Structure formats: C-alpha cells, structure tokens
Amino acid sequence: MTTPPHTADEGAELLPVATAARTRAALRTLVRPDRGLALTGIGVLVAATVIGLLVQPLLGRIVDVVADGRPAGDLTLPVVLLIAVAAVQGFTTTLGLTRVARLGETVLARLREQFVERALNLPADRLERAGSGDLTARVTGDVARVTEAVRSALPEMARSVLAIGLTLGALALLDVRFLLAALLAVPVQLLTARWYVRRAVTLYADQRVANGAQQQQLLETIGGAVTVRGHRLEERHTERGADRSRKAVDLTMRSVNLVLGFYGRLHIAEYIGLAAVLIAGFWLVRDGAVSIGTATAAALYFHSLFGPVNAALVLLDDAQSAAAGLARLVGVTDLAEQPEPKPGEPGPAGKPEAGKATPGKAAPASVPRQRVASPEAAVSVYAVSHAYGPGRPVLHEVSLTLAPGEHVALVGASGAGKSTLARIVAGVQQPTAGTVTGPTAGTVTAPAGPGGPSVVLVTQEVHVFTGTLADDLRLARPDATDDDLRAALATVDALDWAAALPDGLATVVGEGGHRLDAARAQQLALARLVLADPALAVLDEATAEAGSAGARALERSAGAALTGRTALVVAHRLTQAVAADRVVVLEAGRVVESGPHEMLRDADGPYAALWRAWSGSRAAPHP
C-alpha cells in the first residue's frame, strides 16, 4: 500500500510514496531469493564477533598476572592467544562482511532493475501530472541514497548489532552487576534514538520532495530556455529556482543540526555508562567479588561498545534517509504493478471500470484499458474518453475502426486530442473510459519479443541512443543481421548517409558520438519501425521535426515504412492526409468528420476549412 500522492507547489501531483509497512514487505521480497546467502553471512559475522570477545578477558588475564607479581613467562600464553584471536577474527570478519556486501549488491541490482522496468511502464498522463523532476530525483538521488546505505551502512549495521548483543552477554558472564551498570546508559541512548527518528523521518522525506521540486524547476527552465528568453521570464524563473534551492538548503541545514544534537546526546550516554561500570568495578574489587583483571575486562567491554553503539545509532541517519528513498522507489513500483480489475468489477477504491464511467464524470486515470484480439478489424476504438485529471477532458466517447492494411490520418487543431488518441491506440496511454480492441502494444525503442511487437509508436521526439548505429537499430530487432539493417535503412532512404558515416554501421552515434540531425534521427526511428515489422504502426507527427525543407523527403520515408501495414498517422502536414486511405477530423476531443480526402475536401465542413487554409498558404503567388 502507498500513501496518497502529495502535491508539490504549482499543482504538480507527485508520484506516491509507499508506507513503512509496504516498504518492509517489499524489502523482504527483494531479499527472499538470497536467504541462504543472508543466513551464511550473518552466521560468519556471529562467529567473528564471538571470537573477538575473547580479547578483553585475555587482557584482563595479563593485568592479573602483572598485579599478582607472577613470572614473565605467564604472559606468553595470553599474548599468543591474543595474536591468534586477532588473525582468526580478521579472517572471519572479512568473510562475513564480503557475504553481506554481496547480498546487498544483489538486492540493490534487483531493486534497480525492478524500478526501471516499472517506471518505463508508468502511464504517460501520470508522469505528466507528476513532472519529470520527481521521477528524475527518484532515479538519481533516491537510488544513490539506497545504494550508499547498502554498500556501507548495511554491513556495518549488521556487525554493530551483533557486537552489542554479544558484548552485553559477555558482561553478564563476568558479573551481572557489570551488565546492570552498563544498562544505565541505555535509557539515554533510547531517548536519543527516539528523539532523532521522530524528527528525521519527516525531515528526510521533505528533503527528498524539495530536491525533486528543485530538479523539476531546473529541467523546466532549461527545456524551455528559448520560451523563457522570448517572453523575458529570466528573472521570474531565476527567482523561482532560487526559492526552491533555498528550501532545499534550509532542509539540509536542519538535518545537519539534527545530527549534531544526536551526537551530543550520545556522548552523555557514554559518560554515564562508563562511569557506572568503573564504580561497580571499584566496589566489586574492594569486596573481593572479582579480580582487578575481571574489572578491567568489564571496563574494556563497555569501552568497546562505544564504536558499535555509536555506529548503530549514527547509521540511523543513513537508515532513515535510505528508508525515505526506498519508500519513494517502492511507491513507483507499486503504482506500475497495480492489478488490473476484471471486466465488470469495480476498479481501485470501488471506482467504475473502464467503459463503466459514471455519466458526466471522467473515470480515474489509473483504470486500465481493455485490449483484446479482434478478428473483424485491425484496431477498434469504442466510446473512448480520457481526461488528464478532474475537469480536464481531452477525448469524449471517441469511436474509430481501422481495417487491416488501412492508413488513417488524424487531423485537427492543436489540442484536439490527436496525440492522446494515438497513444491510446498504441497502448502506451490508458483511457479513462471505453475499450480498445486490437494488437498488443509495443514500442519501437524497446527490444522486440518473438516475432516483434504488434504495435509500434513513432513520435516527433526521437532519441538516438549512445552506441553504434547498428546497436541503435537492433533495439527494434536484436537478431537482425547487417544486411537486414541496410535493407531497413534503404527502405526509408537512409542508406546513403548511413554508409557515408566514418565507420558505417559501426559509427558511434548519440551523446558523445556522431550527431544526427532531426531528419536523420527520424529516419533512424522509421528504420527501427521497419525492422520491428509490427502489424500496426502509429505515427504521432513523426515528420514534424524535419522542417519544411526535409518534410517531403521524410514523408516519403514514412510512407515507405508504412507500406503493407495498418497505420494511424497524426498528420503534421495535410499532404499526409492526402496520401491516407481515410481522414478522421477531431475537434475538441470528438470525431466530427471521417472519410477520404477528396470527399471531405469537397464538403463544406471542418476539413474543407483546414484544407483551404493550408493549401491557400502554400499557393500564395510569389512576386
């Protein structure tokens, strides 16, 4: 279970955070496959700690030999045993910590893989409501915090807890009164831990949120730098960034002061405990109950607790910070794996299932769409509605059918809902109501399963992955040969420039490599589409980034890539509508016209008006 998503400033609905109970359950699930490794590591550390506890009695033995004035030869055995204890303890401690560290790294790798997998499957509208900064902060800061805790805090915490428990047991074996004296420090330590934890949990959670808001502001400002400069908003964005930075710094300074107060209280506990053990030793030696060596061993035992106790309590700092980060990661994984309700059953929190929305109200965005095979049509959209949050409807009961092999162009003004409908058909967006029947969704940038994905979506925002051009293409089909890659590039008229690269298909592209302009990057995405060979292709303004000069060439590439497959094309230019088998016009989230280009052009409707405006601007006479 997760806590309800909280809202950051300016209306961003942040991703949810898992409750403490859910976080513990997720951690147990992560560790369960490696229980044997965990038990072995803890067992070896217990043995190492028990062996280390022999040091204090051996030192006490040396004190008794000296205090009683015995021959120097009596020191030989305890000294030899001290050397042996040091060697064995060092070996077993190293072995135990190695196994615990291996366990931590294995669990950490499993957590990272699970988080990335689930994050990639989050609904697009949910990410848009949260903002990219929140997810970025979790991917970077929270993962780093958990990583640091696993690599340093987990082994040290395991060793410290074992040392504390076994050392207190050793004190009791010397004389139970030593243990009682040492326990006088415990109330102060417990109160210190409680004081710290009560403040640290909220403080570190707020700190993570503030860092996410800071990153969100930075990403928005950098991403929209041109718009910011164009509207002279530099000062406003700078102030906004400074405010969020000040909030993050203020929370950081509060955490520093909290840690300083924590250490101060621990020193008081150490003084109380050590003084009590020394006083108890004085009285016991005076009464003849124990020897000077035994009292020395007791004092050394308590002194040896300074490191483990302080380490365990100080590691609460890392533990609380890591727990806050882990809860944020688990919140994302839980959000992505919410079970899909069966048709006819209520969705989450008793809300209606897709297609069963209450009249006049949009169904929650978390309700999954229904997608089943359809023998009559390649794709069938029935009464699909979608809203990006309450009061923000985008689509209103849209119904649309694509016949096998049909090319349909979506046209309409900006904000009509074209891209939303395209994402829903592609399967990367969940509608709030209605059903979609057709192939199972896939993505052009993800490795294809057996036979390739059934649906591929290509948008205007194309990413060129860092690596060789061949590796980038094989993301769509890992088993493709070089001849397959060249054939796909030739299909989209990209083979000439690809062959002209310094190392051909082996040329490194992407960040730090050979840079591809917008048109070539889009051709690369279309070549991936050809390699994936889906039954349905969805193009969402896939030629928009080419500019006027390269638009025609890129449209030819797109047309070649779509040959022989069903296609839904969000038309950036009406030349794409002319080439389509059918044109569907959206207005304010509703289908207002549908038919071939010629029929709609000759009718006096919305498409005819769009066509006159578009074609007239291009037929304007030149002086």
Side-chain angles (χ1 to χ4, degrees):
M1 126 177 235
T2 56
T3 59
H6 45 290
T7 302
D9 49 358
E10 301 187 9
E13 184 183 333
L14 300 183
L15 296 168
V17 178
T19 62
R22 174 65 193 119
T23 302
R24 289 192 296 270
L27 187 58
R28 287 194 296 269
T29 302
L30 289 169
V31 175
R32 188 172 294 121
D34 298 291
R35 284 176 296 182
L37 182 61
L39 293 174
T40 303
I42 294 174
V44 174
L45 283 179
V46 168
T49 305
V50 170
I51 293 170
L53 291 177
L54 297 175
V55 170
Q56 288 82 357
L58 289 173
L59 290 175
R61 177 66 176 171
I62 293 174
V63 170
D64 282 338
V65 169
V66 174
D68 295 341
R70 300 177 190 175
D74 291 352
L75 296 175
T76 303
L77 180 60
V79 170
V80 171
L81 289 176
L82 279 174
I83 296 173
V85 165
V88 175
Q89 184 190 23
F91 173 75
T92 52
T93 300
T94 301
L95 180 61
L97 291 178
T98 300
R99 300 189 74 82
V100 172
R102 183 179 299 171
L103 170 67
E105 290 295 334
T106 303
V107 171
L108 180 62
R110 190 176 295 125
L111 172 65
R112 283 173 166 169
E113 292 169 359
Q114 187 180 95
F115 176 80
V116 172
E117 178 185 357
R118 303 281 171 77
L120 290 175
N121 290 321
L122 286 177
D125 59 328
R126 187 65 187 85
L127 288 178
E128 289 173 1
R129 293 200 306 273
S132 56
D134 186 31
L135 184 61
T136 301
R138 299 185 192 220
V139 172
T140 55
D142 292 323
V143 170
R145 188 70 65 175
V146 174
T147 300
E148 181 182 353
V150 167
R151 290 178 176 171
S152 59
L154 177 62
E156 187 62 30
M157 177 67 84
R159 186 172 64 171
S160 298
V161 170
L162 289 173
I164 293 169
L166 294 174
T167 301
L168 291 176
L171 276 173
L173 289 176
L174 292 179
D175 193 293
V176 71
R177 286 167 286 190
F178 286 127
L179 174 61
L180 295 176
L183 292 179
L184 291 177
V186 173
V188 179
Q189 292 167 336
L190 291 179
L191 289 174
T192 298
R194 183 185 178 191
W195 172 85
Y196 174 77
V197 170
R198 291 178 62 183
R199 288 160 176 79
V201 172
T202 303
L203 180 58
Y204 284 119
D206 291 343
Q207 194 173 4
R208 300 273 76 77
V209 172
N211 289 338
Q214 183 186 33
Q215 290 194 35
Q216 175 67 27
Q217 180 62 42
L218 180 61
L219 290 171
E220 288 179 350
T221 302
I222 293 176
V226 175
T227 302
V228 170
R229 287 195 296 266
H231 290 272
R232 299 291 188 268
L233 299 174
E234 296 94 338
E235 184 175 350
R236 182 186 303 176
H237 276 255
T238 300
E239 291 177 356
R240 193 175 299 165
D243 288 341
R244 295 189 176 185
S245 296
R246 278 192 294 270
K247 185 175 182 180
V249 170
D250 178 64
L251 289 170
T252 301
M253 293 307 300
R254 286 173 55 190
S255 68
V256 170
N257 290 330
L258 182 66
V259 171
L260 291 176
F262 178 66
Y263 276 116
R265 287 166 170 79
L266 288 184
H267 293 328
I268 294 174
E270 291 173 357
Y271 172 79
I272 294 173
L274 184 58
V277 170
L278 290 174
I279 291 173
F282 171 77
W283 288 105
L284 291 173
V285 170
R286 193 186 69 169
D287 293 343
V290 299
S291 67
I292 296 177
T294 301
T296 301
L300 291 175
Y301 269 137
F302 187 82
H303 188 273
S304 70
L305 285 175
F306 285 8
V309 170
N310 288 350
L313 293 178
V314 168
L315 286 175
L316 286 174
D317 182 68
D318 292 334
Q320 293 303 318
S321 182
L326 182 60
R328 284 161 55 84
L329 297 180
V330 174
V332 172
T333 59
D334 283 354
L335 180 66
E337 68 173 355
Q338 288 176 357
E340 181 173 325
K342 298 178 180 179
E345 292 183 355
K351 297 178 181 178
E353 175 57 278
K356 305 291 185 181
T358 304
K361 295 183 180 180
S366 60
V367 176
R369 69 190 181 287
Q370 299 176 12
R371 183 178 288 276
V372 297
S374 174
E376 296 85 7
V379 177
S380 180
V381 177
Y382 177 72
V384 162
S385 298
H386 190 72
Y388 291 103
R392 298 171 58 193
V394 178
L395 297 176
H396 305 271
E397 296 188 351
V398 172
S399 294
L400 174 66
T401 299
L402 276 70
E406 184 182 22
H407 290 186
V408 173
L410 282 178
V411 301
S414 178
K418 303 186 299 297
S419 293
T420 299
L421 180 58
R423 291 201 297 266
I424 289 174
V425 171
V428 298
Q429 181 80 52
Q430 297 177 348
T432 53
T435 59
V436 179
T437 59
T440 303
T443 170
V444 74
T445 57
S454 298
V455 183
V456 163
L457 170 67
V458 181
T459 70
Q460 60 179 314
E461 298 174 355
V462 176
H463 184 73
V464 179
F465 293 87
T466 301
T468 66
L469 180 63
D471 289 341
D472 207 307
L473 288 166
R474 286 194 176 99
L475 289 170
R477 202 173 104 202
D479 61 347
T481 65
D482 286 353
D483 289 340
D484 293 332
L485 304 185
R486 294 188 184 93
L489 290 169
T491 300
V492 297
D493 295 328
L495 183 57
D496 289 343
W497 64 257
L501 292 175
D503 298 310
L505 292 175
T507 301
V508 176
V509 295
E511 191 71 26
H514 188 91
R515 297 188 65 83
L516 302 181
D517 59 29
R520 290 183 174 183
Q522 198 63 260
Q523 284 182 318
L524 177 60
L526 292 171
R528 291 196 203 113
L529 168 64
V530 173
L531 287 166
D533 193 23
L536 172 65
V538 179
L539 270 59
D540 184 5
E541 296 189 351
T543 63
E545 294 296 318
S548 300
R552 291 289 181 148
L554 200 51
E555 286 173 11
R556 287 194 298 271
S557 299
L562 297 179
T563 300
R565 65 184 95 254
T566 307
L568 180 65
V569 179
V570 177
H572 179 68
R573 295 174 177 82
L574 290 189
T575 50
Q576 296 170 295
V578 174
D581 299 317
R582 182 158 52 99
V583 179
V584 174
V585 183
L586 287 180
E587 260 189 19
R590 291 182 171 85
V591 175
V592 294
E593 278 188 312
S594 178
H597 161 73
E598 292 81 3
M599 183 185 78
L600 298 184
R601 180 195 60 192
D602 297 337
D604 189 18
Y607 182 77
L610 289 172
W611 177 259
R612 286 193 297 269
W614 184 83
S615 59
S617 66
R618 280 149 182 75
H622 294 281

